[in-house]
Amino acid sequence: MKRARRAVLGLTTALVPALLGGGCSLLPAGLSGFVGDITVSTREAGEAARLISAYRRSRGLGPVTADARLDGAAEEQARAVARAGRLSHGDFAGRMSRYDVAAAAENLAMGSNTIEGAMAQWRQSPPHNANLLKEGMTRIGFARAETKGRGHNNYWALVLAR
């Protein structure tokens, strides 16, 4: 039985300078690896907020709600990683600034066909799990980008913010 390749990448705004100086493999602006159709959707943001809220409540933290502005930031990044065919936060700080978000964290994943699968990847990774359980986060943006016939097919972006 062929096992699907999965990958995750997480980042908080506080880590941006350290990653940029620490050899993190970030994609250059404008790099494009996929030239086919990419479908991006934020329609699952409400379900993602429900799942994340339940997980946070089980750990004594407050819930999160879906935020349309943050969905836009997540949608932009989901499209970018699908086009590149690999995970990268790119200019996370610049993107958060454009969306007027001061305190944020971001989780990316690829390879899972479901929200639950992406969430499981993030819960199993200590840095991503820390983002899910970051105190004070009250809003999320969530998007899935889907490619046809190449690579991982599903790319997920989650932005958590105060």
Side-chain angles (χ1 to χ4, degrees):
M1 179 181 210
K2 188 175 178 181
R3 194 162 186 217
R5 291 189 305 167
R6 291 178 278 167
V8 294
L9 190 63
L11 182 72
T12 63
T13 52
L15 295 177
V16 171
L19 287 176
L20 292 177
C24 184
S25 177
L26 298 176
L27 296 173
L31 180 63
S32 177
F34 183 74
V35 293
D37 289 335
I38 298 172
T39 304
V40 183
S41 174
T42 61
R43 71 177 173 269
E44 297 166 303
E47 177 64 8
R50 186 188 70 73
L51 291 170
I52 293 166
S53 292
Y55 182 57
R56 289 173 59 85
R57 276 193 294 271
S58 76
R59 302 300 193 277
L61 297 167
V64 295
T65 58
D67 180 293
R69 184 170 37 135
L70 293 176
D71 283 349
E75 182 177 0
E76 181 180 325
Q77 195 58 17
R79 180 176 285 109
V81 295
R83 185 171 292 121
R86 63 185 239 205
L87 301 181
S88 167
H89 293 286
D91 182 14
F92 177 68
R95 188 163 28 95
M96 292 303 99
S97 179
R98 284 193 313 279
Y99 284 90
D100 196 28
V101 178
E106 179 174 77
N107 284 354
L108 303 175
M110 64 184 179
S112 174
N113 292 325
T114 65
I115 296 172
E116 294 83 4
M119 288 287 299
Q121 289 177 36
W122 293 329
R123 283 191 309 268
Q124 293 168 11
S125 165
H128 304 96
N129 193 52
N131 283 345
L132 291 172
L133 299 175
K134 195 170 197 63
E135 285 194 44
M137 297 300 181
T138 59
R139 304 175 293 136
I140 68 156
F142 189 81
R144 177 205 318 221
E146 186 176 357
T147 61
K148 298 291 184 195
R150 175 183 176 265
H152 297 285
N153 295 330
N154 287 293
Y155 297 82
W156 305 86
L158 167 67
V159 176
L160 299 109
R162 296 184 194 278

